[in-house]
């Protein structure tokens, strides 16, 4: 494992806020609204320009959009309906659209810094790249993925096609053997949109399938992950870019912990040593 000093970095100071807006959404369901989703609401989601929780019920303490699909098994239906809603109602007001999970933690400032390099009018698709089932790969749903306005402009009309067998159709929403993230990748592939790399200049990931400790130590007991991964997992501090964007499988308690470590601890910096 490399020493922390070799990979440490001061927060990047942008000259100005990037001139674009990010719409974030998290699909969730009833019982998670008062557990996982509370932590998302209280922490990172406040830094998005707009946030909604795509849920199966209304909640007065959350910015929820009731979709009526109970539980997790209808995840693809929730995600495609939400993206269709975003296309129809918010396409011209936002440049980027981020989908996360209710156990994802996002460093939104790093997401903004990454996206500032790209033209949102072009069809971009960003996230942690998996390779299973699709040669070009697709973005894992856990760490979340981002679509540009250009991508959503192409995706929206395709989501309205519910013809059975169409790559973007709802399909058997309650019994898909492959997940929502694969379905989105398959749909976007049919539109000529493939995921682009999110590795940093040193080949380190920005979007992480696991929580920080697991990412550093190396995920244990998850052989599927190594088979799915587009890029080999690097252990130690080289697992993760210093401009990391997101972690997955983060509990509510961990979210508050990460929030505190990033935004409330101020290291003392000495300019000289005696």
């Amino acid at each position: 494992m490399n020493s922390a000093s070799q990979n440490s970095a001061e927060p990047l100071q942008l000259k100005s806020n990037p001139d674009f807006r990010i719409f974030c959404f998290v699909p969730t369901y009833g019982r998670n609204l008062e557990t996982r989703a509370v932590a998302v609401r209280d922490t990172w989601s406040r830094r998005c320009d707009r946030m909604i929780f795509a849920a199966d019920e209304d909640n007065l303490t959350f910015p929820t959009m009731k979709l009526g699909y109970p539980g997790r098994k209808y995840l693809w239906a929730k995600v495609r309906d939400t993206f269709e809603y975003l296309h129809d109602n918010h396409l011209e007001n936002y440049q980027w659209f981020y989908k996360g999970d209710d156990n994802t933690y996002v460093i939104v400032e790093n997401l903004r810094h990454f996206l500032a390099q790209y033209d949102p009018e072009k069809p971009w698709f960003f996230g942690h790249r998996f390779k299973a089932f699709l040669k070009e790969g697709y973005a894992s749903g856990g760490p979340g993925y981002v679509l540009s306005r250009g991508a959503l402009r192409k995706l929206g009309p395709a989501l309205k096609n519910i013809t059975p067998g169409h790559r973007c159709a709802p399909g058997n929403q309650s019994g898909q053997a492959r997940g929502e993230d694969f379905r989105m990748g398959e749909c976007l592939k049919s539109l000529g949109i493939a995921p682009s790399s999110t590795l940093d200049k040193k080949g380190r990931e920005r979007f992480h399938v696991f929580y920080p400790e697991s990412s550093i130590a190396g995920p244990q007991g998850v052989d599927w992950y190594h088979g799915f991964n587009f890029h080999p997992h690097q252990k130690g501090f080289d697992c993760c870019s210093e401009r990391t964007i997101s972690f997955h499988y983060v509990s509510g308690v961990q979210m508050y912990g990460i929030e505190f470590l990033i935004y409330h601890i101020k290291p003392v910096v000495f300019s000289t040593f005696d």
Side-chain angles (χ1 to χ4, degrees):
M1 181 178 295
N2 295 335
S3 65
S5 62
Q6 288 179 302
N7 285 287
S8 62
E10 289 299 309
L12 180 70
Q13 298 296 318
L14 296 177
K15 293 181 179 180
S16 62
N17 287 329
D19 187 24
F20 58 77
R21 289 160 58 81
I22 304 173
F23 197 118
C24 303
F25 81 91
V26 166
T28 187
Y29 56 97
R31 70 182 188 186
N32 280 3
L33 272 174
E34 298 299 337
T35 53
R36 294 177 177 181
V38 167
V40 173
R41 181 197 65 189
D42 292 346
T43 59
W44 65 264
S45 69
R46 298 178 299 164
R47 300 179 187 97
C48 297
D49 295 293
R50 180 77 182 273
M51 174 71 189
I52 58 170
F53 291 86
D56 50 1
E57 61 184 52
D58 290 321
N59 188 305
L60 297 179
T61 65
F62 282 86
T64 53
M65 181 173 71
K66 184 178 178 180
L67 294 176
Y69 299 109
R72 180 177 171 76
K73 65 182 181 179
Y74 293 97
L75 186 56
W76 169 236
K78 286 181 180 178
V79 168
R80 70 182 308 282
D81 282 9
T82 305
F83 272 119
E84 184 176 350
Y85 163 80
L86 294 177
H87 173 271
D88 293 349
N89 296 278
H90 296 289
L91 184 66
E92 301 307 322
N93 297 321
Y94 298 86
Q95 287 76 28
W96 297 96
F97 301 86
Y98 171 81
K99 174 266 169 191
D101 274 1
D102 56 15
N103 58 352
T104 307
Y105 186 93
V106 184
I107 304 170
V108 178
E109 296 89 341
N110 287 354
L111 176 61
R112 290 186 187 279
H113 173 247
F114 174 74
L115 295 176
Q117 307 170 76
Y118 300 95
D119 180 358
E121 298 306 323
K122 294 183 178 180
W124 295 107
F125 177 29
F126 295 119
H128 182 103
R129 204 167 177 184
F130 276 172
K131 64 182 180 182
F133 313 122
L134 288 177
K135 180 181 178 181
E136 299 82 359
Y138 59 96
S140 171
Y145 51 81
V146 193
L147 297 182
S148 64
R149 179 157 61 192
L152 185 58
R153 185 172 280 120
K154 296 182 72 173
L155 175 64
L159 294 177
K160 297 181 185 301
N161 188 337
I162 60 173
T163 305
H166 186 271
R167 295 296 186 184
C168 300
N172 181 12
Q173 297 165 338
S174 64
Q176 288 297 332
R178 297 173 183 172
E180 154 267 328
D181 47 10
F182 167 78
R183 297 296 306 278
M184 178 57 72
E186 185 180 47
C187 172
L188 291 172
K189 177 186 176 182
S190 73
L191 302 175
I193 303 173
S196 296
S197 175
T198 57
L199 299 181
D200 70 9
K201 292 180 180 179
K202 296 182 179 180
R204 300 173 299 190
E205 298 279 4
R206 285 184 169 93
F207 293 79
H208 305 289
V209 176
F210 298 94
Y211 53 93
E213 302 94 312
S214 181
S215 298
I216 294 168
Q220 303 296 315
V222 284
D223 292 340
W224 64 266
Y225 167 70
H226 300 290
F228 275 49
N229 235 10
F230 202 90
H231 304 285
H233 184 90
Q234 300 184 65
K235 292 183 180 180
F237 291 127
D238 280 337
C239 71
C240 311
S241 173
E242 60 196 25
R243 306 297 179 214
T244 278
I245 291 171
S246 65
F247 292 102
H248 186 218
Y249 292 123
V250 180
S251 70
V253 171
Q254 286 176 309
M255 284 194 198
Y256 292 113
I258 296 172
E259 182 87 358
F260 181 78
L261 290 171
I262 294 176
Y263 298 102
H264 297 276
I265 288 182
K266 305 293 184 182
V268 176
V269 178
F270 296 97
S271 58
T272 60
F273 292 91
D274 296 327

